[in-house]
Each structure stands twice: as structure tokens, then as C-alpha cells.
Amino acid sequence: MQLSTFTDYTLRVLMHLTAAQDQKLTTRQISEIHDAKFNHVAKVTQWLVREGYVSSTRGRSGGLHLIGDPSAITVGKIVRKLEGQDGVAECMRGDGGTCILAPSCELKSALHDAQEAFFRSLDNKTLASLTNGRIDPLLRKLNQSIVT
Amino acid sequence: MQLSTFTDYTLRVLMHLTAAQDQKLTTRQISEIHDAKFNHVAKVTQWLVREGYVSSTRGRSGGLHLIGDPSAITVGKIVRKLEGQDGVAECMRGDGGTCILAPSCELKSALHDAQEAFFRSLDNKTLASLTNGRIDPLLRKLNQSIVT
């Protein structure tokens, strides 16, 4: 049971931007911190801009900036948006996949309920709560080291 | 967020064996019903035998048989056993994966709690509850058609 790499990177980018506060970071800087392919991170930041979570400005002093209050953005909402369309098993996707039991299977609704329980648990966590505490100083240090 | 193919097939095999009741099915019969590779299903049935969920007898009248009461075997226990060791994100696996935030990240425990919520939701479902109702006649028909 795994989140997609896209969701994983989305959460990392959001955490960095939350800790960065007024400091702007670029996609390249974030991809370098995570030793991740630029194109992968760029797709994530494009999605975040399109969904209205992040603003992006060009130029020397440009970069990415979190829109909105990180204490009001829940992890559940983001993960649900990214993962909620895909079922956790083949039978939950599109036309039921190849499973011959799919049209009348009780497992499908059981897995759907379990997936909802997963999302609901993350509805209690905000970007602010993730970056408070131990991780905040680490992120700030990383952000500063790449900006300066 | 996807269950592994191994877990998916494990649940399908268990549902077939639950509906089969005293009728014995073979790995080959189940793999043919699902148009799945024999080797994949064989690995699943070997695991089920090793874990004590299924007995396997050889010979002309041999086959697989569910051990225990299907109303006492929860889906949560099986899925937790198969998926509980692997985290839903790279940072939860082994040594924290490649994420530099892993050692002090709050996201890890949030995802762990969400995964537990997923498993707990499936603790309310038993093999018997999955195969009751609409799916039971379908499974019986399939089982009969391959045994006779």
C-alpha cells in the first residue's frame, strides 16, 4: 500500500514552502535538496500552481510561494485530491479492471471505506502541524543554505 | 495508494475458498478463473498455507481448503500482515529511504496513523461478510463450473 511518488514529492514540496515562509524557493532548489529529478518536481509544482496552493513568479527574485494559511491546509485534502480517484485495488479502478467478481463484490466497498478512513485520519493534520516542532529548524536550515 | 498485486490476489483466493466451502479448488483452477499467471497465484497459495489459513492436499481429489471459520478471519488481519511492514511513503521504509527530512519528520507518524486507520476499518470485515450476499452465488457458480 503505497502513495505515488507524485504525492510523496507534493507533500515534501509543501513542507519546504511552509517552512520557507516569506523566502522564495525555486523548483530547482527543491529538486536539488531532495536529489530528485527536476522534471518530476516541476510536474508537482505545476500541479500545485494549477490547484491554487502555490504562486510562482519569474525572474531573479522569483520563485515559489505558498498561498494561504498552512494551519488551514489539511494533508487529507491534498492526499484525497491526488489519490482519491484511484482505488487501492484493481477492481476499484475505472470499469472494475480484470476481476470477474468486480460487479457484485463486497470487497470493493470495504476497501473504499478503508481508504476513506485513511483520508479522514489525515484531515486532522495541517501543513503547519507537520512542519512545527522538530522538522522546522531542519527545513529552515536547508532552505537558507540553498537561497544564500 | 495501491495494495500490492499479491494482496489483491490473496483476497480473491480467500473469497473463492470461502464460497467453495467443502469443495476443493486447485491453484490452477483459481488462476484460470482470474486469467492470472499460475506462478503468481501459486506464490499466494503457498503463503496462505505457510500462514495456516489454507490446507493443501495432493492427488486426484486434492486441492486447497480454507482452515477455520470465515466469520472469524478478518480482512484487516490479512491486509495488515501483508502490507503493514511497508510504509505508504518511501520515508517509512527501512532506514528512511532517501528523504533527508526523514529522521525528524512529522509526516511519517501522520501517515503511520492513517495506515492504521485503514487497517482498523478492515478489522470490521470478515471473509464471511465479504462473500455473503450478492457475490456468493456468483462465486459458487464459478467454483462449480471449474470443478465439474
Side-chain angles (χ1 to χ4, degrees):
Chain A
M1 186 169 124
Q2 295 182 10
L3 297 177
S4 70
T5 308
F6 192 93
T7 302
D8 190 344
Y9 282 172
T10 300
L11 295 173
R12 294 192 206 184
V13 169
L14 285 170
M15 286 162 72
H16 270 280
L17 294 179
T18 302
Q21 295 181 350
D22 292 334
Q23 210 174 33
K24 280 182 181 150
L25 297 172
T26 66
T27 300
R28 188 160 303 280
Q29 286 167 336
I30 297 174
S31 68
E32 281 171 7
I33 286 182
H34 283 284
D35 201 19
K37 283 189 180 151
F38 173 79
N39 286 349
H40 287 182
V41 181
K43 279 182 189 160
V44 165
T45 55
Q46 281 158 17
W47 183 83
L48 286 168
V49 169
R50 207 163 53 239
E51 292 289 323
Y53 288 110
V54 166
S55 67
S56 170
T57 49
R58 292 174 186 270
R60 265 187 81 85
S61 62
L64 304 164
H65 192 260
L66 190 74
I67 298 170
D69 179 0
S71 66
I73 303 171
T74 70
V75 181
K77 190 173 176 187
I78 295 154
V79 175
R80 190 183 269 109
K81 214 172 240 189
L82 287 168
E83 303 271 346
Q85 302 304 312
D86 301 326
V88 297
E90 190 205 6
C91 58
M92 294 168 74
R93 285 165 222 144
D95 57 356
T98 60
C99 183
I100 47 165
L101 310 177
S104 54
C105 183
E106 307 276 339
L107 178 61
K108 209 159 48 168
S109 76
L111 291 176
H112 180 267
D113 292 349
Q115 196 180 22
E116 261 309 307
F118 182 93
F119 294 145
R120 269 200 308 278
S121 170
L122 294 175
D123 284 339
N124 301 322
K125 308 285 177 182
T126 66
L127 289 181
S129 73
L130 288 188
T131 54
N132 278 343
R134 287 182 305 163
I135 204 172
D136 204 36
L138 172 63
L139 276 166
R140 283 175 184 280
K141 202 171 151 191
L142 282 167
N143 291 342
Q144 272 157 13
S145 72
I146 52 169
V147 168
T148 52
Chain B
M1 186 170 126
Q2 296 183 8
L3 297 177
S4 69
T5 307
F6 192 94
T7 302
D8 190 343
Y9 282 172
T10 301
L11 295 173
R12 294 193 206 185
V13 169
L14 284 170
M15 286 162 72
H16 269 280
L17 294 179
T18 301
Q21 294 181 350
D22 292 334
Q23 210 174 33
K24 279 180 181 154
L25 296 172
T26 67
T27 300
R28 189 160 302 280
Q29 287 166 336
I30 296 173
S31 69
E32 281 171 7
I33 286 182
H34 283 282
D35 200 20
K37 283 190 179 152
F38 173 80
N39 285 349
H40 288 181
V41 181
K43 279 182 190 161
V44 165
T45 54
Q46 281 159 15
W47 183 83
L48 286 168
V49 168
R50 208 164 53 238
E51 291 289 322
Y53 288 110
V54 166
S55 68
S56 170
T57 50
R58 292 174 186 270
R60 264 185 83 85
S61 60
L64 304 165
H65 192 260
L66 189 74
I67 299 168
D69 178 1
S71 66
I73 302 172
T74 70
V75 181
K77 190 174 176 186
I78 295 155
V79 175
R80 190 181 268 108
K81 214 174 240 187
L82 287 168
E83 303 272 346
Q85 301 303 311
D86 300 326
V88 296
E90 191 204 7
C91 58
M92 294 167 73
R93 288 165 221 143
D95 58 358
T98 60
C99 183
I100 48 166
L101 310 177
S104 54
C105 183
E106 307 276 341
L107 178 62
K108 208 159 52 171
S109 76
L111 291 175
H112 180 268
D113 291 350
Q115 194 181 24
E116 260 310 307
F118 182 94
F119 294 146
R120 268 198 311 276
S121 170
L122 294 175
D123 283 339
N124 301 321
K125 308 285 178 183
T126 66
L127 289 182
S129 74
L130 288 188
T131 54
N132 278 341
R134 289 182 303 163
I135 203 171
D136 204 36
L138 172 64
L139 275 166
R140 281 176 187 282
K141 203 172 151 190
L142 281 167
N143 290 342
Q144 272 159 12
S145 71
I146 54 171
V147 167
T148 52

